[in-house]
Amino acid sequence: MRKYDQTYISGAFRSTVGREEMPLFDPTTEEQSGILVLANAEDARLAVESASRALPGWSASSRTERIDLLNSMADAVEARADELTEATIVEYGGPIAQARWRAGLAATNFRIAANLLKDFPFIRRTNGAEVLAQAAGVALHIVPWNSVYNSISVKMAGALAAGCPVVVKPSEFSPWQVDLFAQCLHAAGVPAGVVNIVVGLGSEVGTALTASPDVRKISFTGSTAVGKTILQGSAKWMQRVTLELGGKAPTIVMDDADLAEAARQALAIGFANNGQACIAGTRILVRRDHLDEFCRAIPDAARTVVQGDPRDPRTTLGPLVNRRQFERVLRYISLGIVEGARPVIGGEGRPPEFDRGYFARPTVFADVTNDMTIAREEVFGPVLCIIAYDDDEDAIRIANDTPYGLHAYILGNDIARARAIAGRLDAGRVAINGMAHEPMAPFGGFKQSGIGREYGIYGIEDHLEFKAVTGGTV
Ligand code: NAD
């Protein structure tokens, strides 16, 4: 059984100061897969101290040094893509094809930052002022369990390009993925202290890190509830805060869409990453007079959803990450039924073909109104709602009637009309006819889905302070 008992601080793997242990379980088998020795507040202090020591050197590093490091990091994660993929499967239950794609995103994020750095304007001129872009300082990156390599790399790429050393606090549910990733970064030759990683509970290590006055920038990906706590805490030292939080994305099926194809796409968008995706399209909006035909198309479309062992290449839907998440999703399915929603597919309990594993039945509810709990709260599992609209105006109103605003989807044939609808949705990203990911474009949420933007040039600027110098002759 694997034991994870190390931090990565000052360029070295060292035993955690914390001694408390936490068992880890493979979500597909429910068998214990490892033990995590939790880092504690002292580990957090050492990590920040290490990053602070590295700040003067790294913030003064040359453009070439940063580009070379980012490219080496991309090479190093590409070289171990198979192991990174395996860890995602065991630890998280990610289906193999998706897990491999997600591991690849990390290399992409590092390479994009390296390319953008080539002519990134650290010095700009605005009328009478010279504008200097300066590293914000030590950056703290807190990330969840559902997309480990991508969340870590997209933040790290922006920070390192900007000249900020980082402390990463990954989720306690992903120590194997994190350990492998840290080994890749170490092999890539990250200078001591430029990257530091501590794995522990949010309530201990997370709070110790966010409370440190030496942390100047916090970039957090996770739930809206924890994001709000971090934002409140940041007021004390006025740390710069970026929040990438939850979502309840609408998928608008336009009235000219091919309904059978739209049903297939809506399920793919809703069940992505085992339904554990902040960007999942979980509210499917269908014109009222198309509802019956759309609901009839769902069971057919569901034949493309293959639930099972994430190692099997045919699998598209794996288990939920842990028992707590499994029980939470089952509770939401029961609540949907109590609220009067009707399962078109799925329903309560574990699917009959599984006698173990944190598998919930992929469930699509009809007869949902946008005020039901299952339409308002983020379930974070394979549970989708079909909601009726009357016309485009009504669809836009319902789509925007949510506390969230991370992503939205539109399925239909009239692209000009789809673009017009996109322009009126309160969401950081809108995808028309698919789920295309553009890693150079800004990513982030409106409303309670967050504050700030990451990816591409936005992720670099997110780690900079801008200083205007006037007077004197240049
Ligand atoms: P979470 O908020 O429970 O935890 C996220 C991270 O924060 C973990 O590392 C956790 O240990 C840490 N944490 C918890 N409490 C903390 C505290 N008080 N102080 C500091 N750190 C603390 O979220 P989760 O369950 O790990 O992930 C699922 C959530 O993440 C969902 O809401 C999902 O929508 C969101 N998410 C958002 C995005 C995005 O880009 N917007 C991407 C992926 C996931």
Side-chain angles (χ1 to χ4, degrees):
M1 187 173 306
R2 290 190 179 81
K3 188 167 187 175
Y4 308 96
D5 58 358
Q6 295 195 316
T7 57
Y8 182 66
I9 295 176
S10 295
F13 292 90
R14 46 172 88 189
S15 296
T16 49
V17 177
R19 299 309 324 147
E20 193 187 331
E21 296 189 352
M22 177 182 135
L24 300 159
F25 298 92
D26 180 332
T28 308
T29 61
E30 296 184 48
E31 279 162 17
Q32 189 169 347
S33 60
I35 296 170
L36 168 64
V37 181
L38 295 159
N40 68 9
E42 177 59 9
D43 292 301
R45 192 190 64 74
L46 292 170
V48 175
E49 192 180 76
S50 159
S52 302
R53 271 198 308 272
L55 176 62
W58 188 248
S59 59
S61 59
S62 70
R63 202 184 282 266
T64 316
E65 271 176 274
R66 295 181 198 177
I67 291 172
D68 289 349
L69 177 61
L70 287 162
N71 280 325
S72 305
M73 287 159 71
D75 292 343
V77 293
E78 268 169 0
R80 296 186 72 176
D82 286 348
E83 289 162 272
L84 292 167
T85 304
E86 173 67 11
T88 305
I89 294 169
V90 171
E91 215 158 48
Y92 169 66
I96 186 164
Q98 294 177 30
R100 190 173 295 283
W101 178 73
R102 283 174 189 280
L105 285 178
T108 304
N109 290 332
F110 290 137
R111 282 206 206 289
I112 285 175
N115 281 336
L116 289 171
L117 257 186
K118 285 180 192 153
D119 47 17
F120 184 86
F122 283 101
I123 303 175
R124 308 165 193 195
R125 181 152 277 288
T126 302
N127 207 19
E130 191 176 50
V131 180
L132 308 180
Q134 181 175 321
V138 169
L140 167 62
H141 296 163
I142 303 182
V143 298
W145 40 262
N146 72 328
S147 185
V148 175
Y149 311 129
N150 187 43
S151 308
I152 294 179
S153 62
V154 75
K155 293 181 193 303
M156 191 178 285
L160 297 193
C164 300
V166 301
V167 175
V168 187
K169 207 307 272 174
S171 166
E172 55 276 24
F173 296 110
S174 48
W176 186 16
Q177 295 170 83
V178 169
D179 183 48
L180 285 174
F181 204 71
Q183 288 178 34
C184 294
L185 303 184
H186 186 66
V190 175
V194 169
V195 171
N196 306 276
I197 305 178
V198 283
V199 185
L201 298 179
S203 53
E204 179 159 7
V205 173
T207 50
L209 289 167
T210 53
S212 169
D214 295 328
V215 167
R216 295 308 315 146
K217 167 79 199 180
I218 301 174
S219 183
F220 170 80
T221 297
S223 61
T224 295
V226 174
K228 287 181 181 179
T229 309
I230 288 175
L231 187 60
Q232 278 168 344
S234 70
K236 183 166 183 192
W237 306 114
M238 212 63 91
Q239 292 139 322
R240 279 39 179 162
V241 178
T242 299
L243 300 174
E244 298 288 347
L245 309 176
K248 195 75 193 174
T251 299
I252 298 178
V253 179
M254 285 170 53
D255 54 14
D256 67 351
D258 171 330
L259 293 182
E261 175 55 22
R264 271 192 296 278
Q265 290 226 30
L267 295 193
I269 291 167
F271 293 157
N273 209 24
N274 301 348
Q276 298 172 127
C278 51
I279 59 167
T282 49
R283 292 181 301 140
I284 307 170
L285 312 192
V286 179
R287 207 174 75 176
R288 199 173 299 280
D289 55 347
H290 288 169
L291 272 180
D292 286 346
E293 190 182 338
F294 187 80
C295 289
R296 278 198 303 274
I298 290 287
D300 245 0
R303 283 189 237 290
T304 59
V305 178
V306 181
Q307 190 173 32
D309 186 336
R311 279 176 198 76
D312 185 334
R314 286 166 305 180
T315 297
T316 64
L317 190 71
L320 297 161
V321 69
N322 56 35
R323 175 163 289 281
R324 197 183 65 179
Q325 188 66 12
F326 170 65
E327 288 171 352
R328 181 170 177 270
V329 170
L330 294 194
R331 272 200 305 278
Y332 271 111
I333 293 174
S334 303
L335 182 66
I337 292 167
V338 169
E339 284 186 314
R342 169 175 59 89
V344 180
I345 57 167
E348 291 177 283
R350 203 197 305 253
E353 58 274 31
F354 297 95
D355 57 2
R356 62 181 191 161
Y358 304 132
F359 292 95
R361 297 172 72 188
T363 299
V364 180
F365 281 116
D367 301 342
V368 178
T369 52
N370 200 43
D371 57 354
M372 289 182 185
T373 311
I374 51 167
R376 300 213 73 77
E377 296 184 5
E378 189 183 46
V379 175
F380 230 53
V383 181
L384 312 182
C385 304
I386 300 174
I387 301 171
Y389 69 80
D390 292 321
D391 53 21
D392 285 0
E393 276 309 306
D394 198 34
I396 293 165
R397 181 189 63 76
I398 297 169
N400 288 338
D401 177 11
T402 166
Y404 296 107
L406 188 63
H407 215 300
Y409 303 87
I410 303 171
L411 304 175
N413 282 316
D414 181 344
I415 300 302
R417 187 149 63 97
R419 285 186 172 277
I421 293 172
R424 295 183 54 201
L425 297 178
D426 297 336
R429 276 197 183 187
V430 184
I432 298 172
N433 290 333
M435 280 196 96
H437 171 59
E438 173 44 72
M440 301 274 282
F443 181 91
F446 282 41
K447 300 190 276 184
Q448 295 189 40
S449 284
I451 297 176
R453 295 291 181 270
E454 52 188 14
Y455 283 90
I457 212 87
Y458 306 87
I460 301 176
E461 299 205 330
D462 200 37
H463 288 86
L464 291 167
E465 290 276 13
F466 291 91
K467 172 164 57 190
V469 180
T470 56
T473 46
V474 182

